[in-house]
Amino acid sequence: MKRIIRHFFDDSKPVAELCHGPLMLAAAGVLEGRRSAAYPALEPDIQGAGAEFVDGAGVVDGVLVSARAWPDHPDWMREFIRILREKAPAEAKEAVATA
């Protein structure tokens, strides 16, 4: 799991994490210096990993989109889809435009 997470961050691939997901990112060592939402009880864990805890629904930090829990799904997914569209290869953008 850590290797896969680091691969996504090393290659600047979009990552969406929700609720307790930041614990995996912390374990992989990729949260330091970032901003992340999470389930509110995880604020000390986020800060302990060297990140800024944000109490928000669709928190964007580069290609990372985070949120607190399932009630945040609309904002969280809206931001993640926006980033996926921005990062999509040109061929995929053309296919969507012609569909």
Side-chain angles (χ1 to χ4, degrees):
M1 172 205 71
K2 292 177 188 180
R3 182 180 54 79
I4 293 168
I5 290 170
R6 283 192 289 268
H7 166 79
F8 271 73
F9 280 85
D10 290 346
D11 289 356
S12 296
K13 294 180 178 182
V15 174
E17 53 103 335
L18 180 72
C19 196
H20 284 69
L23 295 177
M24 292 186 293
L25 302 185
V30 298
L31 264 188
E32 188 170 348
R34 294 190 168 274
R35 300 174 68 239
S36 179
Y39 190 75
L42 296 182
E43 183 174 359
D45 299 288
I46 302 300
Q47 293 169 338
E52 175 188 348
F53 174 80
V54 180
D55 187 9
V59 177
V60 177
D61 184 328
V63 294
L64 172 64
V65 181
S66 59
R68 298 166 292 208
W70 67 267
D72 295 339
H73 278 178
D75 293 330
W76 177 62
M77 287 308 300
R78 186 177 305 110
E79 291 298 332
F80 190 58
I81 290 169
R82 180 183 61 78
I83 288 174
L84 288 174
R85 284 185 177 139
E86 289 173 4
K87 297 291 277 181
E91 303 83 38
K93 289 179 183 178
E94 287 177 22
V96 170
T98 59

